Amino acid sequence: MPSFNVFLKSKLPKTGNSIFSIMSALANEYQAINLSQGFPDFEVSTELISLVNQFMKKGINQYAPMPGILKLRELIAAKAEKRYGIKYHPESEVTITSGGTQAIFTAIAATIREKDEVIIFDPAYDSYSPAVVLAGGIPVHAELKLPDFHIDWNEVKKLINQRTRMIIINTPHNPSGAVLSVKDMQMLEKITAKTDILILSDEVYEHVIYDDQAHCSVARFPKLAERSFIVYSFGKTFHTTGWKIGYCLAPEKLMTEFRKVHQFMVFSANTPIQYAYADFMKDEKNLTGIESFYQEKRNYFIKLISGSGFKILPCYGSYFQLLDFSKLSKEKDLDFAIRITKDFGVASIPVSAFYKNGTDHKLLRFCFAKTNATLEQAAEKLLRITKQ
Ligand code: PMP
């Protein structure tokens, strides 16, 4: 190992290995069923795979245009208009990114300055806060209110001041499975009116929403859309999380700034996969049925584990199910998650990991984007856990 004697002050001193890597490594070590990290374990559409292959064979292997291939941007703009009734210009208001995470990082890097405050709702997806800190900003954390993980808008009002630059929302929500309502959007509209606050709306689970609810995108609300970056992920929509392609929608002025960073961060995203998604998206049927597919998984998982010692929390969207283990153990959620991985063979994520303050509500997050066989094996193990 080379020696290293240079003085280096970490820019993220409190950041260690992410809980997702830790729990996945533990799952591997103990050969546990891994319901911790959020990725499907079933096959990707063979049509989509052969499209990528065909484009590679055709020689589509060099850099794409910086904002992404136009054909895909046009289809995305048409989809936004159809679903949310809003026109984004494919030339100037749609950018293809290397996953939703890059879009989030880019939007923050492009707009947040030293000491700008950014409101983040905990429990939160773990990339928001480090992105704000690296930009010199200050994450201001507000906790979602249990039992249904709703936003307390009066509390948000009190957090807003001259330095507030951005509010980050996420619907459907990881890890809670909560969704924002029209009322929430109206409150957000009210609170941000007559301010210069930007909104970063993480909507990567737009198609993973249940019980015939309409996804409440900020794009449906013109007064919100005019100040918003909206982030999506093909990984979530087409079960291809490892391909790392997503996109961002924003009004031209915001998108111009976004692209200034995007071009130096990645320049452009994977070319043959963009062509393949464009061909795949042209066929409407490939964008339908995602909701019902995951709803069946959710219902099946719930059915399998009913009768266990866990309390099942409602899940309205995303492919995560929260389980309350307070009747089974008084352990910290991290300790309990580690123990059931080692002793019972099922890995999950302790929800305290999504809180800045490590708030522990005795909840574990389980990903049900898995084959029925995986869910059955996991449930059989979870049913064996009894009170300690
Ligand atoms: N936002 C949320 C809420 C997520 O759960 C994820 C993926 N875990 C992302 C963004 C990132 O998406 P991608 O994999 O496309 O980077």
Side-chain angles (χ1 to χ4, degrees):
M1 202 194 291
S3 62
F4 182 74
N5 297 311
V6 178
F7 173 73
L8 176 70
K9 194 167 170 229
S10 172
K11 292 186 80 175
L12 294 172
K14 290 188 191 132
T15 303
N17 251 354
S18 93
I19 189 72
F20 307 103
S21 315
I22 293 168
M23 294 311 295
S24 284
L26 203 67
N28 278 342
E29 190 182 338
Y30 287 87
Q31 300 195 333
I33 297 171
N34 190 359
L35 303 191
S36 64
Q37 219 170 350
F39 61 86
D41 75 341
F42 37 81
E43 289 307 315
V44 171
S45 149
T46 47
E47 183 195 341
L48 183 54
I49 289 179
S50 57
L51 280 169
V52 176
N53 216 281
Q54 278 167 35
F55 283 112
M56 285 180 167
K57 283 185 181 155
K58 264 199 232 165
I60 308 286
N61 296 303
Q62 308 310 329
Y63 295 127
M66 184 271 281
I69 65 161
L70 188 57
K71 194 160 88 172
L72 183 57
R73 285 185 277 145
E74 282 168 352
L75 284 160
I76 288 168
K79 178 186 159 194
E81 184 166 6
K82 185 165 171 222
R83 278 176 74 88
Y84 306 125
I86 183 167
K87 275 191 167 60
Y88 282 99
H89 202 294
E91 291 274 5
S92 54
E93 299 181 319
V94 182
T95 300
I96 315 295
T97 60
S98 295
T101 311
Q102 187 235 306
I104 291 164
F105 197 95
T106 305
I108 291 170
T111 53
I112 299 305
R113 291 167 189 269
E114 196 79 6
K115 304 229 160 48
D116 280 350
E117 294 188 2
V118 178
I119 296 178
I120 295 174
F121 297 102
D122 283 356
Y125 180 56
D126 62 347
S127 85
Y128 306 150
S129 177
V132 171
V133 170
L134 287 172
I138 301 169
V140 175
H141 294 261
E143 292 199 1
L144 297 173
K145 304 296 174 222
L146 268 60
D148 56 353
F149 291 90
H150 70 269
I151 294 176
D152 177 343
W153 290 106
N154 280 328
E155 188 183 327
V156 180
K157 243 192 257 171
K158 287 183 202 145
L159 292 176
I160 289 176
N161 61 54
Q162 285 302 315
R163 292 192 304 274
T164 309
R165 193 76 197 91
M166 179 182 272
I167 298 176
I168 304 180
I169 56 170
N170 171 214
T171 184
H173 183 252
N174 172 13
S176 75
V179 294
L180 293 177
S181 64
V182 172
K183 237 187 180 156
D184 287 311
M185 292 300 166
Q186 286 165 343
M187 287 307 293
L188 184 59
E189 204 175 291
K190 217 166 155 183
I191 277 178
T192 52
K194 299 196 192 109
T195 74
D196 292 322
I197 295 172
L198 300 173
I199 294 162
L200 175 55
S201 187
D202 179 343
E203 302 183 12
V204 298
Y205 297 103
E206 67 170 332
H207 289 283
V208 193
I209 185 161
Y210 308 124
D211 310 317
D212 297 322
Q213 300 170 91
H215 165 54
C216 211
S217 171
V218 290
R220 291 185 196 276
F221 301 83
K223 288 268 174 284
L224 292 177
E226 68 182 27
R227 58 175 79 235
S228 294
F229 293 102
I230 319 181
V231 171
Y232 298 96
S233 168
F234 285 116
K236 309 291 176 188
T237 303
F238 296 133
H239 323 309
T240 47
T241 60
W243 294 7
K244 295 298 298 185
I245 304 283
Y247 59 95
C248 181
L249 303 178
E252 184 169 353
K253 276 212 169 133
L254 288 181
M255 190 52 86
T256 303
E257 296 308 311
F258 181 97
R259 288 182 181 175
K260 287 179 189 174
V261 177
H262 174 77
Q263 67 179 335
F264 297 125
M265 193 176 262
V266 290
F267 184 69
S268 62
N270 184 304
T271 317
I273 296 180
Q274 289 191 52
Y275 276 92
Y277 280 142
D279 262 21
F280 198 65
M281 262 181 87
K282 268 195 298 203
D283 189 346
E284 264 295 302
K285 82 167 182 342
N286 290 324
L287 274 169
T288 50
I290 303 164
E291 293 83 350
S292 55
F293 171 79
Y294 278 118
Q295 182 164 320
E296 260 176 47
K297 295 252 167 246
R298 179 199 66 173
N299 293 351
Y300 191 50
F301 185 53
I302 288 174
K303 190 172 141 214
L304 288 169
I305 57 166
S306 60
S308 76
F310 292 97
K311 184 176 158 210
I312 300 164
L313 270 64
C315 166
Y316 302 100
S318 84
Y319 44 52
F320 302 109
Q321 177 63 55
L322 292 191
L323 298 182
D324 177 330
F325 65 88
S326 56
K327 289 224 169 79
L328 289 169
S329 167
K330 292 198 168 23
E331 283 161 280
K332 286 189 185 147
D333 64 357
L334 176 62
D335 295 339
F336 184 69
I338 291 173
R339 184 164 68 82
I340 69 166
T341 307
K342 289 180 177 175
D343 295 354
F344 293 90
V346 185
S348 58
I349 299 287
V351 173
S352 65
F354 296 87
Y355 284 89
K356 178 185 176 245
N357 296 330
T359 306
D360 182 358
H361 292 291
K362 309 289 176 218
L363 296 172
L364 299 182
R365 189 199 79 171
F366 293 82
C367 173
F368 56 77
K370 305 291 171 189
T371 62
N372 285 359
T374 307
L375 296 177
E376 283 156 17
Q377 284 167 29
E380 194 232 315
K381 291 170 190 294
L382 292 173
L383 285 168
R384 275 198 245 131
I385 304 172
T386 50
K387 190 170 178 193
Q388 258 219 331

